[in-house]
Short mmCIF file of all heavy atoms in Angstrom, two decimals:
data_model
loop_
_atom_site.label_atom_id
_atom_site.label_comp_id
_atom_site.label_asym_id
_atom_site.label_seq_id
_atom_site.Cartn_x
_atom_site.Cartn_y
_atom_site.Cartn_z
N LYS A 265 -25.06 43.84 -82.39
CA LYS A 265 -25.35 44.66 -81.27
C LYS A 265 -24.21 45.54 -80.86
O LYS A 265 -24.46 46.70 -80.61
CB LYS A 265 -26.01 43.79 -80.07
CG LYS A 265 -26.29 44.65 -78.85
CD LYS A 265 -26.80 43.74 -77.71
CE LYS A 265 -27.14 44.64 -76.51
NZ LYS A 265 -27.54 43.70 -75.35
N HIS A 297 -11.78 52.29 -76.38
CA HIS A 297 -12.16 51.49 -75.16
C HIS A 297 -13.51 50.75 -75.37
O HIS A 297 -13.88 50.09 -74.45
CB HIS A 297 -12.31 52.36 -73.88
CG HIS A 297 -10.93 53.01 -73.55
ND1 HIS A 297 -10.51 52.73 -72.10
CD2 HIS A 297 -10.08 53.68 -74.01
CE1 HIS A 297 -9.40 53.48 -71.95
NE2 HIS A 297 -9.03 53.99 -73.16
N GLY A 403 -33.54 35.81 -58.64
CA GLY A 403 -33.61 34.24 -58.52
C GLY A 403 -32.50 33.74 -57.66
O GLY A 403 -32.21 34.14 -56.53
N SER A 472 -6.51 37.03 -61.50
CA SER A 472 -6.21 38.03 -62.38
C SER A 472 -6.19 37.44 -63.87
O SER A 472 -5.90 36.37 -64.07
CB SER A 472 -4.88 38.78 -62.10
OG SER A 472 -3.81 37.85 -62.03
N GLY A 477 -8.21 44.24 -74.91
CA GLY A 477 -9.46 44.79 -74.76
C GLY A 477 -10.03 45.59 -75.92
O GLY A 477 -11.14 46.04 -75.95
N TYR A 501 -11.38 39.78 -58.40
CA TYR A 501 -10.73 39.49 -59.62
C TYR A 501 -10.30 40.81 -60.21
O TYR A 501 -10.94 41.74 -59.99
CB TYR A 501 -11.69 38.77 -60.65
CG TYR A 501 -11.20 37.69 -61.45
CD1 TYR A 501 -11.74 36.38 -61.29
CD2 TYR A 501 -10.20 37.84 -62.42
CE1 TYR A 501 -11.39 35.39 -62.09
CE2 TYR A 501 -9.77 36.86 -63.14
CZ TYR A 501 -10.32 35.56 -62.92
OH TYR A 501 -9.87 34.49 -63.73
N GLY A 548 -19.66 36.72 -92.65
CA GLY A 548 -20.61 36.78 -93.72
C GLY A 548 -21.56 37.83 -93.81
O GLY A 548 -22.52 37.80 -94.58
N GLU A 627 -28.60 45.59 -39.11
CA GLU A 627 -27.71 46.07 -40.22
C GLU A 627 -26.61 46.94 -39.72
O GLU A 627 -25.66 47.15 -40.54
CB GLU A 627 -28.62 46.85 -41.23
CG GLU A 627 -29.76 46.09 -41.81
CD GLU A 627 -31.03 46.27 -41.05
OE1 GLU A 627 -31.09 46.76 -39.99
OE2 GLU A 627 -32.12 45.59 -41.53
N GLN A 633 -9.73 50.70 -36.40
CA GLN A 633 -8.52 50.14 -35.97
C GLN A 633 -8.71 49.79 -34.41
O GLN A 633 -9.11 50.50 -33.59
CB GLN A 633 -7.31 51.14 -36.01
CG GLN A 633 -7.11 51.51 -37.48
CD GLN A 633 -6.11 52.66 -37.62
OE1 GLN A 633 -5.24 52.88 -36.78
NE2 GLN A 633 -6.31 53.52 -38.75
N VAL A 642 -9.02 51.73 -28.29
CA VAL A 642 -7.91 52.13 -27.32
C VAL A 642 -8.35 52.88 -26.12
O VAL A 642 -7.64 52.97 -25.19
CB VAL A 642 -6.86 53.03 -28.18
CG1 VAL A 642 -6.13 52.28 -29.27
CG2 VAL A 642 -7.57 54.27 -28.67
N VAL A 686 -12.11 56.34 -36.26
CA VAL A 686 -10.81 56.79 -36.60
C VAL A 686 -10.11 57.02 -35.23
O VAL A 686 -10.60 57.66 -34.33
CB VAL A 686 -10.77 58.17 -37.27
CG1 VAL A 686 -9.38 58.70 -37.37
CG2 VAL A 686 -11.40 58.03 -38.73
N ILE A 703 -17.86 61.38 -50.00
CA ILE A 703 -18.96 61.29 -49.07
C ILE A 703 -19.82 62.59 -49.09
O ILE A 703 -20.97 62.69 -49.18
CB ILE A 703 -18.38 61.00 -47.67
CG1 ILE A 703 -18.02 59.55 -47.50
CG2 ILE A 703 -19.45 61.32 -46.61
CD1 ILE A 703 -17.44 59.09 -46.20
N LYS A 713 -30.29 60.76 -54.55
CA LYS A 713 -30.47 59.28 -54.66
C LYS A 713 -29.61 58.55 -53.80
O LYS A 713 -29.79 57.39 -53.31
CB LYS A 713 -30.29 58.93 -56.16
CG LYS A 713 -31.38 59.40 -57.19
CD LYS A 713 -31.03 58.75 -58.50
CE LYS A 713 -29.99 59.13 -59.26
NZ LYS A 713 -29.98 60.63 -59.64
N LEU A 776 -17.33 64.03 -32.75
CA LEU A 776 -16.03 64.28 -32.17
C LEU A 776 -16.15 64.17 -30.57
O LEU A 776 -17.04 64.80 -29.93
CB LEU A 776 -15.65 65.87 -32.44
CG LEU A 776 -15.48 66.14 -33.97
CD1 LEU A 776 -15.26 67.55 -34.10
CD2 LEU A 776 -14.35 65.22 -34.51
N LYS A 820 -30.76 92.34 -16.79
CA LYS A 820 -31.53 93.52 -17.04
C LYS A 820 -30.61 94.75 -16.70
O LYS A 820 -30.82 95.87 -17.35
CB LYS A 820 -32.90 93.64 -16.11
CG LYS A 820 -33.86 92.63 -16.60
CD LYS A 820 -35.07 92.71 -15.74
CE LYS A 820 -36.13 91.58 -16.09
NZ LYS A 820 -37.23 91.59 -15.11
N GLY A 831 -17.43 71.06 -26.01
CA GLY A 831 -16.46 70.22 -25.56
C GLY A 831 -15.74 70.55 -24.26
O GLY A 831 -16.48 70.95 -23.26
N ARG A 854 -23.04 71.80 -28.62
CA ARG A 854 -23.41 70.35 -28.86
C ARG A 854 -23.15 69.85 -30.21
O ARG A 854 -22.63 68.84 -30.54
CB ARG A 854 -24.74 70.03 -28.39
CG ARG A 854 -24.93 70.31 -26.87
CD ARG A 854 -26.13 69.53 -26.26
NE ARG A 854 -27.32 69.92 -26.67
CZ ARG A 854 -28.48 69.62 -26.22
NH1 ARG A 854 -28.53 68.93 -25.05
NH2 ARG A 854 -29.62 70.01 -26.70
N GLU A 861 -28.06 78.59 -34.39
CA GLU A 861 -27.78 79.94 -34.50
C GLU A 861 -28.84 80.76 -33.78
O GLU A 861 -28.63 81.74 -33.13
CB GLU A 861 -27.81 80.35 -36.02
CG GLU A 861 -26.59 80.10 -36.72
CD GLU A 861 -26.57 80.76 -38.14
OE1 GLU A 861 -27.62 81.29 -38.54
OE2 GLU A 861 -25.35 80.74 -38.73
N VAL A 864 -27.78 80.91 -30.16
CA VAL A 864 -26.60 81.73 -30.03
C VAL A 864 -26.98 83.18 -30.25
O VAL A 864 -26.56 83.94 -29.23
CB VAL A 864 -25.59 81.38 -31.09
CG1 VAL A 864 -24.45 82.34 -31.03
CG2 VAL A 864 -25.01 79.99 -30.79
N LEU A 877 -15.42 80.55 -26.91
CA LEU A 877 -14.30 79.69 -26.42
C LEU A 877 -14.17 78.37 -27.23
O LEU A 877 -15.06 77.60 -27.33
CB LEU A 877 -14.65 79.46 -24.93
CG LEU A 877 -13.72 78.60 -24.12
CD1 LEU A 877 -12.29 79.20 -24.14
CD2 LEU A 877 -14.16 78.33 -22.71
N ALA A 887 -14.23 79.18 -34.45
CA ALA A 887 -14.68 80.19 -33.31
C ALA A 887 -14.51 81.58 -33.92
O ALA A 887 -15.43 82.49 -33.58
CB ALA A 887 -13.86 79.97 -32.06
N ARG A 893 -19.86 86.14 -37.55
CA ARG A 893 -21.47 86.04 -37.72
C ARG A 893 -22.19 86.56 -36.62
O ARG A 893 -23.23 87.30 -36.84
CB ARG A 893 -21.69 84.53 -37.96
CG ARG A 893 -21.25 83.93 -39.31
CD ARG A 893 -21.07 82.53 -39.27
NE ARG A 893 -22.29 81.69 -39.14
CZ ARG A 893 -22.25 80.36 -38.93
NH1 ARG A 893 -21.09 79.70 -38.94
NH2 ARG A 893 -23.46 79.72 -38.83
N MET A 927 -0.16 76.25 -23.74
CA MET A 927 -0.76 76.40 -25.04
C MET A 927 -2.31 76.50 -24.96
O MET A 927 -2.91 77.32 -25.60
CB MET A 927 -0.46 75.28 -25.96
CG MET A 927 -1.11 75.34 -27.36
SD MET A 927 -0.95 73.92 -28.29
CE MET A 927 -1.73 74.23 -29.75
N GLU A 936 -10.08 85.53 -16.60
CA GLU A 936 -9.42 86.95 -16.81
C GLU A 936 -10.21 87.60 -18.00
O GLU A 936 -10.47 88.80 -17.96
CB GLU A 936 -7.98 86.53 -17.16
CG GLU A 936 -7.19 87.94 -17.41
CD GLU A 936 -7.22 88.81 -16.31
OE1 GLU A 936 -7.33 88.36 -15.10
OE2 GLU A 936 -7.19 90.16 -16.57
#
Side-chain angles (χ1 to χ4, degrees):
K265 179 182 178 182
H297 292 232
S472 57
Y501 224 114
E627 298 89 358
Q633 296 169 34
V642 293
V686 174
I703 287 179
K713 292 191 291 296
L776 300 177
K820 291 176 183 177
R854 301 198 295 195
E861 286 190 345
V864 171
L877 174 61
R893 287 154 67 187
M927 177 190 181
E936 181 60 31

